[in-house]
Every structure is written in C-alpha cells, then in structure tokens.
Amino acid sequence: MSAAAVQTVVDLGGEEILGLLAQTERRMSELAAGHGELLARYAGQTIAAGGKRLRPLLVFLAAGAPPPSSPGLLRAAVAVELVHGATLIHDDVLDGSSLRRGRPTVFAAGGRSMAIATGDLLFSRAFAELAATGSVEAVRVLARASRELAAGEVMQRADAFATNLGVERYLERCRLKTAVLFRAACELGALQAGGPADALAGFGEQIGLAFQILDDVLDVTGPSERTGKPRGADLLDGTVTLPLIVASRRDPEIAALDLRDIQTPADAARLSDRIAATDALDDARNHALGLVRGAKDSLPRLPRRQRTALELVADGVVERYT
Amino acid sequence: MSAAAVQTVVDLGGEEILGLLAQTERRMSELAAGHGELLARYAGQTIAAGGKRLRPLLVFLAAGAPPPSSPGLLRAAVAVELVHGATLIHDDVLDGSSLRRGRPTVFAAGGRSMAIATGDLLFSRAFAELAATGSVEAVRVLARASRELAAGEVMQRADAFATNLGVERYLERCRLKTAVLFRAACELGALQAGGPADALAGFGEQIGLAFQILDDVLDVTGPSERTGKPRGADLLDGTVTLPLIVASRRDPEIAALDLRDIQTPADAARLSDRIAATDALDDARNHALGLVRGAKDSLPRLPRRQRTALELVADGVVERYT
C-alpha cells in the first residue's frame, strides 16, 4: 500500500487504528523478549524486520472503522501476525533463503535448527495469545488456517519444477499458502466485533489470492531493492507461478525449459526478462485486479467508513511498488 | 512399561481405558488421512509408527480410573500425542536422524521440507482438536507446553558439544524438551475431569523428567534393536546428557574429550562403553528413580484405583527394557 493509502485508512479508522498498530508492535516485541536470550535474538530479529502488518490491519478493520474497543482484538491481530512470522521463518528454511525484506533470515543468522525452533515457538505463542481472548471459536479459525498453510507448503514442494502446472492448481496453492491467513484475519476481526466469523471471509480470501499473485509478479519484475529478495528467486527454487504458466503458453521456448537448468541469479534474471517480454505479467496483474474487484463486490452491508477502509486495503494489495 | 504393568493399568482403568486408547489410534489415523495424499503418506507413517501412547494414557488416568465419560477427553489425548509427534518430526530434522522406532523418519523418507511441513500440520491439528473441546483453558495449557518444547529444542542446540554442562542446566533442558508435555497431559486430564488443572501437574513433570533421564541412559546402553536408534546417537550429535556429565567427573579422560571428535558409530559405541565403565549409568538411573518416588509422593488425595494406576505408570517410565 502506498503511504497515501495508509494515511487514508488511518483517517477512516481513526486514532484507534494507529494506537492498535503501535500496540501490536509493542506486544510483538514483548513476546520476542520473553523466552531467553538466544530465542529473543532470532525471534526478535524477525519481529523487528517488521513488514507491512497488513494482516493485523485487516483484523482491526474487519472489526470496524474505528474498531470497537475489545481487549481480544489486539491479541487476535498479534496471533495472526505471529503465525505469519512462523511460516515465513519455516519457508526460509525450506527455500534455503538467506535474505528476507533485505535482512538476513533466521535460517541464515542462526542456522536451520534455530529457525525451526523459532518458528515452532511463534506458532505456540500465537495460540496462547488467542486462548487468552477466551474465544474457542477464534482458536478454531486460526488452527484451520495454519493447518492449510502447512498443506500449502507441502503442495509447493510437491509441485516444484512442474512447468506443466495448471492455473487451477496454482490458485489452490496460493489459497492455501497465503489467502487462508488473510481470510482468518478477517474472520477473527469479525468475531471480535461480535458478528459471525464468515461475513468477511470471502473478501479476505480473495484479496489474499490477489496479494500472492502480485507477489509472484514482483518476483519476476523486481527490483530486488524493493522486494528485499533476489529477482527470479521463485524460478531458482523451482516454484512455478502464474507469470511463468502464462508465459509458457505464449513462448514455446519457455514451455520447453527445464527449470532445473536455471542455476544462477543471472539465469533467473534472463528468464525473468523473457517472461516479461510476453504479456504474462499484465495478465497476472489483471487476474489480481479482478480478484480485488470481486472481493469488494463481495462485501456485505457495512458502515460507510468501514467499507471504504476495507476497499482501500483491497486496492492496496495490488498497488505495491507501482 | 512392561506388558504386565500395562495389563494392570488396564485392569484398573477398566474397559474404558482400552476403548479410549483404541479410539485414540483411530482418531490419529483419521487426522492423518484428511489432508491430501502426500501429507497422509508422511503424517500417516509417523502416526502408524505408534509408540507407547504414554501421554494419552496419562491424560486418561489423570481424569480418573476409569476415566469419566467426557467427549473432550479423547480430543485432549489426541492433541497431546499430535504435539508429541510434531516435535519428534522436527527433532529428526534438527538431528538429521534417519531412524526412529526402527523405521525411517519423515525426514529420511520425504526430505527436510516435507518433515517441516508435516510437523507444522500436526501442531495445527492439535490446537484444532483442543479448540473442539470448547475449553480455552485446555488450549492455554497446550500452548504453554509447546512453547516450552520449542525453547527446549533451542537450548539443546545452544548447549551442543558443551561437555562442561552442569546437572542443573541439563535438568532444565529435560524439563523443557520432555517433562512439560507429560505435565500438560496430566493437566488436560484433570481439566476434563472438571478439577483444577494443576493438581497433577507436579506428578506429570517429575515422571517426564525421569522418562527423559532414562531415555538418555538407554542411548548409552542400547541395544539399538530395542531403542530403534543407533547406540550413542546423542554423543554423535553433541547432546550432552546426565550419563556423560557424571562420567566426566569420574574419568578424567572422558572429561578431556572433545565431542566433535566422536565421528563414527564405532567412536560412539567405544565412548558409550567407557561411560558405562564408570558408575554413571547407575547414578542416572537412581536419579530417575528418585524423581519417580517424588512424583508418587506428590500425588494428592485420589480414589484408590486412580492412584494405583498413576503409580504404575510412574514406575513404568523407569522400567523400560529392564
């Protein structure tokens, strides 16, 4: 999201949103510090590396704009962000990634064992946070999402290097590895506001899908200074994404490629250029934009400020770096 | 536990215990099968590999002998066993272990990525099971335990190859990596019976400590056909345990060793023999026996059958392979 969009969201959500986001940061830091020196170093690193806090923002706005005063709301937001952090840390072990958001990953700084343990710890903390809200339904929502995230990890490994992947299968993987947590954020926010969990679930899922597709586009376009990871990282680790699937249909040479032959960052950058030379990136972006439109259309009757804020967040997920 | 002890526990716990243990197996299999073909293969493998189901047994007996009829009791037992399974799978990645209970680990059969994802999945399932009991307090208990388990993993890595480790630090690691889950099993059983969570917490923690100490003794004594892992596996991966700590105090040559020089199974077997030649194993066993005595002494007023069954389980954890 652009700075202007964030400002508008804050205007709509009021001081409450700013306060809640600040409290989220504070609570994340407290949690990182509470488990001994070694773990604090690595969990703290991950937490300090920050990120957009898009999922906590969704939790808050799904509850209202401004969000109602509810002691459980902050905990729900922190829980979602902790699960997000845990999956990033484990993903980096799976991918052997040494950079994330332009900083060393836990895997790179502390080694594989530390990264697995740190991820496990953040997972556990997430459920402890939710349990403290007193809502079993909230625990259920997050447990389902984190189960699906794990299934998404597995699917990504199973489909590695499969350049004949269909769009449906790709989208199902995006749903599992990314969209379910956006969905859970919306469900948790709605629950905390006292409403039914599923009112905004479809909205969350669609913008999550759009987010992942755009992420996959940015992997091809870079620049790495903005994305914080080398360009074509997906190609290097065999992750087949929408831009590659579409480009394969348009360029027979891309279709004939064996991704295992992409060995160096220079190989990946060359293939990225070749993908960009087809219209695959525009196609993928349009797919994401369509999902965002669908997400906005799916919104139920809501107070005007809340609707506008959620629509801005939806637009924001496909506006990164443009 | 010996077959005779198990039989006595079953006699005390009645048909209910047998029925609950059978249902635990069934539920574990259902959960393994419910997440797509790939994951089922690996999660199913882990679950089929079985083990003693000591933690579920504790959940049941902490609730009563026979356990009261409570729909949440089975779910609590399954949740504890799922967390146990998840930590074993992740531990095998950390240790690079290829055998567990005499069978290939998920890490060996499916690779590192599959093992991390399978562990994450079992964690999530555990919290989903507990959430389904409707008890937030239960979620809190398990989240705390799994947080401590992760801290234990970290501590084990941090202390690897540190042959100057003190007994206190070793015991704290055993508490974190093993005893907290025994404690949680007792807490969850007590909760399901409608009592306070902490009545049997100390009992669970002490027998968990005894269990880990005996496990560390068995690593030195073998035989590997019984333990399902090569003899001296801890020595090979630099895990400093009570037998080595005690032996170091008695044998200056052991004290002078650099564990990094233990490179082959033959090296590990030789050092195991040397540890056994001091009285370190008896010392460690006696430490475990003392903990079991303490655990039994800590039991509150309980119905006679329940007390006897719990005492038998306590004795059972230090009777393995003797």
Side-chain angles (χ1 to χ4, degrees), chain A residues 231-288:
Chain A
R231 200 172 146 226
D234 287 339
L235 300 170
L236 276 169
D237 66 21
T239 304
V240 176
T241 63
L242 192 55
L244 179 61
I245 294 171
V246 175
S248 293
R249 295 186 181 165
R250 303 225 169 122
D251 179 339
E253 282 191 39
I254 295 179
L257 264 179
D258 184 342
L259 271 191
R260 286 172 222 271
D261 295 334
I262 307 299
Q263 298 271 355
T264 65
D267 292 344
R270 256 192 309 276
L271 178 52
S272 296
D273 287 339
R274 183 141 198 155
I275 292 171
T278 71
D279 287 327
L281 298 176
D282 277 343
D283 267 32
R285 270 194 213 96
N286 284 333
H287 195 126

Side-chain angles (χ1 to χ4, degrees), chain B residues 7 11 18 29 36-38 41 48-49 63 106 129 131 141 143 182 193-194 228 236 248 252 297 309 319:
Chain B
Q7 186 54 54
D11 289 346
L18 274 184
S29 305
E37 189 248 327
L38 256 178
R41 191 182 321 156
V106 181
E129 282 295 294
V141 164
F182 281 77
L236 276 170
S248 293
D297 291 346
E319 266 167 17

Side-chain angles (χ1 to χ4, degrees), chain A:
Chain A
M1 291 176 80
S2 66
V6 171
Q7 188 53 54
T8 315
V9 169
V10 166
D11 289 346
L12 290 161
E15 284 302 309
E16 289 87 346
I17 285 278
L18 272 185
L20 283 166
L21 285 170
Q23 283 177 60
T24 304
E25 295 302 322
R26 206 150 51 227
R27 181 78 186 134
M28 299 282 288
S29 304
E30 279 169 24
L31 292 178
H35 300 92
E37 189 245 327
L38 256 178
L39 216 48
R41 191 183 320 156
Y42 298 108
Q45 215 164 44
T46 306
I47 282 168
K52 296 168 289 292
R53 306 298 190 210
L54 197 49
R55 292 158 195 80
L57 185 62
L58 271 176
V59 174
F60 299 140
L61 291 177
S69 169
S70 148
L73 195 58
L74 178 67
R75 288 191 186 273
V78 168
V80 169
E81 194 69 358
L82 286 170
V83 166
H84 176 52
T87 58
L88 292 184
I89 291 171
H90 281 181
D91 276 355
D92 289 336
V93 182
L94 299 179
D95 298 336
S97 306
S98 49
L99 279 181
R100 155 100 44 200
R101 297 170 186 154
R103 305 174 69 147
T105 60
V106 181
F107 167 67
R112 176 172 296 128
S113 308
M114 193 55 72
I116 296 180
T118 305
D120 288 349
L121 179 94
L122 297 189
F123 264 127
S124 312
R125 290 291 344 185
F127 286 102
E129 282 296 293
L130 270 195
T133 68
S135 165
V136 169
E137 183 60 23
V139 175
R140 207 170 284 156
V141 163
L142 193 66
R144 177 185 157 194
S146 61
R147 205 179 74 210
E148 295 186 311
L149 291 171
E153 285 178 45
V154 169
M155 196 173 191
Q156 182 160 331
R157 300 308 129 181
D159 289 349
F161 301 103
T163 39
N164 60 347
L165 203 72
V167 172
E168 285 305 307
R169 173 102 182 163
Y170 162 80
L171 289 174
E172 174 62 5
R173 189 222 297 156
C174 292
R175 190 183 75 78
L176 289 170
K177 71 176 237 191
T178 307
V180 295
L181 201 55
F182 281 75
R183 176 192 175 106
C186 290
E187 291 176 309
L188 290 171
L191 273 177
Q192 286 296 327
D198 58 357
L200 300 172
F203 172 82
E205 192 164 307
Q206 288 188 82
I207 68 171
L209 273 176
F211 180 91
Q212 184 57 53
I213 292 171
L214 193 77
D215 216 53
D216 294 340
V217 169
L218 291 172
D219 189 76
V220 176
T221 60
S224 57
E225 310 87 68
R226 304 290 291 276
T227 62
K229 57 183 180 179
R231 200 172 146 226
D234 287 339
L235 300 170
L236 276 169
D237 66 21
T239 304
V240 176
T241 63
L242 192 55
L244 179 61
I245 294 171
V246 175
S248 293
R249 295 186 181 165
R250 303 225 169 122
D251 179 339
E253 282 191 39
I254 295 179
L257 264 179
D258 184 342
L259 271 191
R260 286 172 222 271
D261 295 334
I262 307 299
Q263 298 271 355
T264 65
D267 292 344
R270 256 192 309 276
L271 178 52
S272 296
D273 287 339
R274 183 141 198 155
I275 292 171
T278 71
D279 287 327
L281 298 176
D282 277 343
D283 267 32
R285 270 194 213 96
N286 284 333
H287 195 126
L289 288 171
L291 285 162
V292 166
R293 258 194 312 276
K296 294 198 274 188
D297 290 345
S298 81
L299 285 172
R301 278 182 76 86
L302 291 170
R304 192 186 53 78
R305 281 172 59 165
Q306 186 182 12
R307 166 183 292 272
T308 310
L310 286 170
E311 287 178 345
L312 273 166
V313 173
D315 289 332
V317 302
V318 285
E319 265 167 18
R320 292 180 287 160
Y321 318 143
T322 58

